[in-house]
Amino acid sequence: MAGEVAEQKKSSVNILTTTNVKPRKPLGKKECQLVTFDLPYLGFYYNQKLLIYKGGEAEFERVVENLKDSLGLVLEDFHQLAGNLGKDEDGVFKVVYDDNMDGVEVLVATTEELAVEDLTAEEGTTKFKELIPYNGVLNLEGLHKPLLVVQFTKLKNGVALGCAFNHAILDGISTWHFMSSWAGVCRGSTSISVPPFLERTKARNTRVKLNISQPSDAPEHAKSAANGDMAAKVDPPLREKVFKFSESAIDQIKSKVNAPQSEMSKPFSTFQSLSAHVWHAITRARQLKPEDYTVFTVFADCRKRVQPPMPESYFGNLIQAIFTVTAAGLLLANPPKFGAAMIQKAIDMHDSKAIDARNKEWESNPIIFQYKDAGANCVAVGSSPRFKVYDIDFGWGEPESVRSGSNNRFDGMVYLYPGKIGGRSIDVEISLEANAMERLEKDNEFLMEV
C-alpha cells in the first residue's frame, strides 16, 4: 500500500473522478456472438489511442459534460461498447449489453505539468501512459472489465482524450467510425449519419468454443511455430519514434518503387510503396544475416473481400493478418519493387477463398496468440493513413496529434497515420530494438525529407 501511495505522489496526472456512462435510453438485453475474425485478438491488449487538442481547458468542466452527454447518445447505436464479454453454455464468446451493466468507464483528470507541446514533441510513449487507461490489460479481461475506457485530461493549454478499446470487439475502421460519430454528436448532431452494422455473424457464423476465461489461459508462452522456444528469452529494450513523411517524400518513394514500370505490371499503391520502403530500411537497420528470414505482415480489411461483401459500417473485427516472407539478403539485394511486389501479391491473393480457408484452418485448431507472434524479424503494419483521424473535432478544433499508446508494441510494429500537415503526408510510428532504431535514425535513404 505504501508503495502505491509513493507511486501516486510521483504521478504528474491526478485522477479527479471515475464514473460510468451508459446509453441514454433503456435498450434491454442485447447479445451478439463473437466470430472467427474477432477471437484471435483475445490475447492482445486493449487498443489505445490518444488525441491531443489545443483549447478546451478554460471551460474544461463544460467540455467534459458535453463529452459525457454525447457519449451517452452515441452509445444508443454503439451499445456493444457499453457491454462486456460473455460466454454461452457451450463456451462460445459473445458481446453482451444489458441495461444493468456499468457501461463505459470515464476518468476525468488534470495535470499542471504537461502542455500540448510536451505531448506533440514526444517520440516515444512514456508521457502517454498516465493519459491513456488500461496499460497492459488483456482483451480477455473484458469478461469483467468495461470494453471501452476513456480519460479526459486537462492539460496546461489543452485537453487530452485517451481511449482504450477492447480489440476483441472492434478493429480500426470500427474504432474511427465510432469516434467520428461521437465527435459529430458532441458538435451538435442529434443522430449519427451512418449507424453501425452490428450483425457480425453475417460475415462468419461458425460457433467456435474456446476453453479460456482467465488471462493465464492466454499464456505469454503461446508462440507460433516460427518463434520456437523464444519465449524464454528476455525481450530487448525498445524505442519508439514517429517519422513524418511529407507529401513530396511520399511521391518520391512511390515514383522510385514504380520506376521503371512495364506495361504488363500493376502499379504499386502508396501503401505498398511505403511498406516496401519501411521493410527495406528496418531490415538494413537490424543488420540481419543474408540467410535470416524477415516477415512482412499487414492487417488487411476484409469487408469487401468476404462473400457476400460487408458494408463499411460493419462493426467488429473484419481484418486478417497477411504474411509474406523472404531472406534478408534477397530483399536487400533487390530494388524496393521486389518487396513491393511480394506485398502486392500477398494482398491481391487474399480473396474470399483465401479468407475462408484461413478461417477454417483456425477454427479446426483455435490458438490464442500473443500480439507479437507475427513471425521472425517481423515488420507488422497496423492502422491506416486512410483513417480520417484529424477530422475528430468535438467542437474545439481538430487534434494537434493522434498517437497509439504503449500497448501491443513489439520490435517491428509500425502504425501508419495521415500526417497532420495534410495532403498525402503520412506519419510512420515505429517500435524497434534500441540499437536498430539508432541506425534507422541515421539512414538517409530511409529518411527522405523527414
Side-chain angles (χ1 to χ4, degrees):
M1 195 71 177
E4 287 179 25
V5 172
E7 195 65 37
Q8 288 172 359
K9 283 181 180 175
K10 284 192 290 184
S11 171
S12 65
V13 176
N14 296 313
I15 304 295
L16 303 176
T17 61
T18 301
T19 56
N20 291 87
V21 173
K22 301 201 288 191
R24 276 195 199 173
K25 65 182 182 185
L27 301 174
K29 187 169 185 177
K30 294 179 179 288
E31 297 186 354
C32 185
Q33 175 190 317
L34 292 190
V35 298
T36 309
F37 292 100
D38 301 308
L39 297 172
Y41 299 97
L42 286 167
F44 283 42
Y45 295 113
Y46 273 63
N47 202 11
Q48 297 175 310
K49 300 298 175 190
L50 180 67
L51 292 83
I52 303 156
Y53 294 91
K54 206 158 206 171
E57 80 287 349
E59 300 175 304
F60 185 65
E61 288 184 14
R62 184 182 64 81
V63 162
V64 167
E65 287 311 306
N66 284 347
L67 284 162
K68 285 184 179 180
D69 287 346
S70 55
L71 178 59
L73 184 58
V74 81
L75 285 174
E76 292 178 10
D77 288 285
F78 291 90
H79 62 263
Q80 291 182 1
L81 286 169
N84 287 110
L85 296 183
K87 293 169 84 172
D88 65 20
E89 63 278 1
D90 294 326
V92 177
F93 273 83
K94 57 187 176 179
V95 57
V96 182
Y97 172 78
D98 192 293
D99 292 331
N100 296 325
M101 288 181 169
D102 291 337
V104 174
E105 188 172 306
V106 177
L107 289 76
V108 178
T110 184
T111 174
E112 296 179 3
E113 294 180 24
L114 291 172
V116 168
E117 295 75 22
D118 298 321
L119 300 176
T120 55
E122 170 77 350
E123 304 237 293
T125 57
T126 304
K127 289 177 182 171
F128 301 163
K129 286 189 176 177
E130 293 183 285
L131 301 173
I132 317 177
Y134 277 30
N135 294 291
V137 177
L138 283 174
N139 294 316
L140 182 60
E141 296 182 58
L143 287 163
H144 54 85
K145 290 181 184 289
L147 301 180
L148 170 61
V149 187
V150 296
Q151 179 177 326
F152 312 133
T153 305
K154 179 183 178 182
L155 307 172
K156 279 184 182 177
N157 58 345
V159 175
L161 172 54
C163 303
F165 295 89
N166 191 299
H167 204 339
I169 71 157
L170 81 171
D171 58 16
I173 288 176
S174 294
T175 295
W176 295 110
H177 179 197
F178 165 74
M179 292 296 288
S180 63
S181 301
W182 181 14
V185 171
C186 198
R187 288 197 309 272
S189 296
T190 54
S191 63
I192 66 176
S193 55
V194 182
F197 181 84
L198 297 171
E199 300 173 69
R200 59 183 78 202
T201 52
K202 297 284 187 187
R204 189 79 180 176
N205 200 15
T206 308
R207 288 173 56 78
V208 181
K209 301 174 185 179
L210 294 175
N211 188 28
I212 56 174
S213 57
Q214 301 296 328
S216 57
D217 297 330
E220 294 216 341
H221 62 263
K223 289 285 174 180
S224 58
N227 283 347
D229 63 355
M230 287 174 65
K233 296 182 182 178
V234 177
D235 291 334
L238 295 184
R239 274 189 55 211
E240 299 125 354
K241 185 169 173 116
V242 181
F243 296 91
K244 298 178 182 294
F245 289 89
S246 66
E247 185 172 288
S248 170
I250 293 295
D251 289 346
Q252 286 181 57
I253 290 167
K254 192 172 179 180
S255 296
K256 181 180 177 182
V257 174
N258 276 289
Q261 188 75 40
S262 72
E263 292 181 10
M264 298 296 291
S265 60
K266 179 182 173 183
F268 299 113
S269 67
T270 297
F271 174 81
Q272 292 158 4
S273 302
L274 180 60
S275 293
H277 183 74
V278 171
W279 191 15
H280 258 244
I282 289 178
T283 304
R284 284 195 301 271
R286 283 173 166 162
Q287 297 183 337
L288 301 178
K289 297 173 185 174
E291 66 272 19
D292 286 341
Y293 283 115
T294 174
V295 178
F296 183 88
T297 306
V298 57
F299 294 91
D301 176 30
C302 297
R303 283 166 175 75
K304 296 292 179 274
R305 297 172 190 265
V306 293
Q307 282 300 332
M310 291 292 107
E312 187 78 1
S313 59
Y314 176 98
F315 186 84
N317 285 289
L318 203 40
I319 54 175
Q320 268 188 347
I322 301 174
F323 305 91
T324 188
V325 60
T326 189
L330 197 57
L331 181 71
L332 298 182
N334 283 284
K337 71 165 45 198
F338 173 83
M342 293 184 70
I343 295 167
Q344 184 186 70
K345 182 181 178 183
I347 292 172
D348 287 350
M349 287 176 65
H350 205 68
D351 56 12
S352 61
K353 288 183 179 178
I355 293 167
D356 188 52
R358 174 82 69 80
N359 282 333
K360 284 178 177 174
E361 179 186 11
W362 190 87
E363 288 158 3
S364 69
N365 182 29
I367 299 172
I368 304 300
F369 288 121
Q370 255 190 302
Y371 65 96
K372 56 186 178 182
D373 286 340
N377 303 315
C378 185
V379 176
V381 177
S383 192
S384 169
R386 293 182 180 178
F387 296 159
K388 293 180 166 51
V389 301
Y390 286 101
D391 289 353
I392 310 300
D393 177 359
F394 287 93
W396 61 88
E398 65 181 27
E400 294 298 308
S401 182
V402 177
R403 294 285 303 276
S404 299
S406 57
N407 283 354
N408 300 318
R409 289 182 180 267
F410 58 92
D411 183 11
M413 187 66 216
V414 178
Y415 291 104
L416 301 181
Y417 289 103
K420 167 69 175 169
I421 57 176
R424 292 184 301 279
S425 64
I426 296 176
D427 288 351
V428 182
E429 272 190 25
I430 298 179
S431 300
L432 211 55
E433 184 274 322
N435 292 326
M437 180 66 85
E438 191 175 342
R439 290 188 283 270
L440 187 67
E441 290 173 313
K442 299 172 183 174
D443 185 342
N444 291 328
E445 187 179 345
F446 169 66
L447 296 173
M448 305 289 292
E449 296 181 358
V450 178

